[in-house]
């Protein structure tokens, strides 16, 4: 067996720092407060592992679970959770043990062409959830959805 | 109680070697690369236990879960996962804790009339997933679906 | 709220490609075959998410689970799984739902000062497991442990 | 059946706001940064339900799980997690499905005689974890442990 070139086995990428995560949480809280709708906010990395979570006073505690599914879905498909194709929309939640969801409120965190993870927001209407997620993306200079 | 003839209590079968599993993974990667759609690939034995898994660079990490469900479904029904009968399609995912799925991309591994397990592929369209699974089956001389 | 500099919110890192994962699996199989001890091999990324898995013919099927815990532990602590400090060795497995283990056979994947994930090997003695994991690291030019 | 006085059926309590949770996270990050040891921080309410979580850059991702167990343990016993009595120390983790742990780093959040929840910190030594948790408690004027 010949020893391969390390170049073939690795590639460069980017990740979010905790300064970025805290900035996103603060911006999400500010926007949710403005809208008068307390929210659950979950931020995950590019592999879906949790980076930060916050349940605002008055938010629905079970929405922390759906916010997590939204964040993980967006990070996995590198697109809004609501973009799940029609063909798999019925079957995919069970086939992924509830990890994947087509509920609106999950957005990918994209900067300079890299997907660094996902944010999921839940407790409000779909529109409110997406609005809060976008406020968090804007705060760190990530692409809006 | 009379002691029975061992012949009545056992029967011969076949199983996949890890050489077969690696060959299938390589063929699946080659086909997915050709199609320009990175995939998650899962291969299980006739009892649904994992033999091999690979998540290609750029594939959706949650698709590893759905690929596992597809592979296990195909090994269990010894037919493509998409063949789940209409009558049970709505109820069977929950009743099997998400193990069984009708999503396309799961194919049985059949050689000489034996079912040796299943392969599940996920991250692309249903057609792309099935195409990659068939490329893996072809590589070891298994029946195509 | 002032908009922060994107530089503060992200940092550069590296990840393993599937070419690297396949190279590691091949090298692990070759070394295990040489040693006459079939093994279960699991490779995870820096967040512990599965990149590749292989159960060799004759390996213990439950060792796939312990190999996964070893790989995730090594990726999390960025050191061999056997290095878990004495003080937490008794309590940490339960507190992490079995995810963290002090069993030998889990090694971090380190290249150029980055930790790209972990490899876990199980089915042999601790020494055999570590030996196979190191063979996989050597094949991609990663630091040996 | 006579209808009782509502006074008999309810009692006043206090809960932590998300402003308090964010203040605790910020203080924990500041102290961990000062100590040069990135940490995972989890804050739960009096029922053990998550209020906030943060994984600092460079912290061990599996320590988020143990930090959660520490926080929940401290909130449940309304005392430091390390105070679990010797008599139940061996048996209680399995009997609570890993929810209760005697690992140091979990402290109750007590203000004016009320227990509002718990904070769990993990990735450092036991002493470092407790120190960071206390810094978070100090930031909101809660009792130190």
């Amino acid at each position: 067996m010949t020893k391969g070139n390390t170049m073939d086995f690795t590639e460069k990428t980017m990740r979010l720092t905790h300064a970025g995560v805290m900035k996103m949480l603060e911006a999400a809280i500010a926007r949710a407060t403005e809208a008068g709708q307390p929210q659950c906010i979950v931020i995950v990395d590019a592999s879906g592992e949790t980076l930060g979570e916050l349940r605002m006073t008055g938010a629905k505690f079970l929405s922390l679970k759906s916010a997590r599914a939204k964040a993980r879905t967006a990070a996995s498909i590198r697109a809004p959770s609501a973009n799940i194709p029609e063909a798999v929309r019925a079957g995919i939640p069970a086939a992924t043990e509830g990890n994947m969801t087509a509920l609106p409120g999950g957005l990918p965190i994209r900067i300079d062409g890299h997907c660094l993870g996902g944010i999921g927001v839940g407790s409000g209407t779909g529109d409110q959830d997406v609005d809060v997620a976008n406020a968090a993306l804007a705060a760190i200079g990530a692409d809006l959805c």
Side-chain angles (χ1 to χ4, degrees), chain A:
Chain A
M1 193 166 46
T2 59
K3 186 174 159 182
N5 188 332
T6 301
M7 294 287 291
D8 301 334
F9 304 144
T10 61
E11 58 182 32
K12 293 186 178 171
T13 184
M14 281 169 71
R15 64 179 177 195
L16 208 56
T17 62
H18 63 255
V21 174
M22 288 298 282
K23 187 78 177 175
M24 290 179 77
L25 291 178
E26 286 159 19
I29 291 170
R31 186 73 196 95
T33 303
E34 216 173 78
Q37 174 58 56
Q39 294 277 17
C40 291
I41 306 132
V42 175
I43 298 165
V44 303
D45 68 20
S47 296
E49 188 62 48
T50 301
L51 285 170
E53 291 193 3
L54 193 90
R55 171 162 59 104
M56 289 177 67
T57 307
K60 301 162 187 159
F61 65 87
L62 288 181
S63 296
L64 202 54
K65 290 182 188 290
S66 51
R68 206 176 289 137
K70 292 173 187 182
R72 285 169 58 79
T73 297
S76 181
I77 66 172
R78 291 182 289 279
S81 52
N83 286 17
I84 295 281
E86 198 56 39
V88 298
R89 198 167 272 252
I92 203 74
T96 56
E97 296 159 353
N99 277 275
M100 204 173 288
T101 181
L103 291 172
L107 301 183
I109 305 170
R110 287 180 301 211
I111 296 180
D112 293 342
H114 292 280
C115 180
L116 287 70
I119 178 169
V121 177
S123 268
T125 64
D127 282 352
Q128 286 175 319
D129 297 351
V130 169
D131 180 52
V132 166
N134 264 321
L137 293 177
I140 59 161
D143 301 347
L144 301 190
C145 292

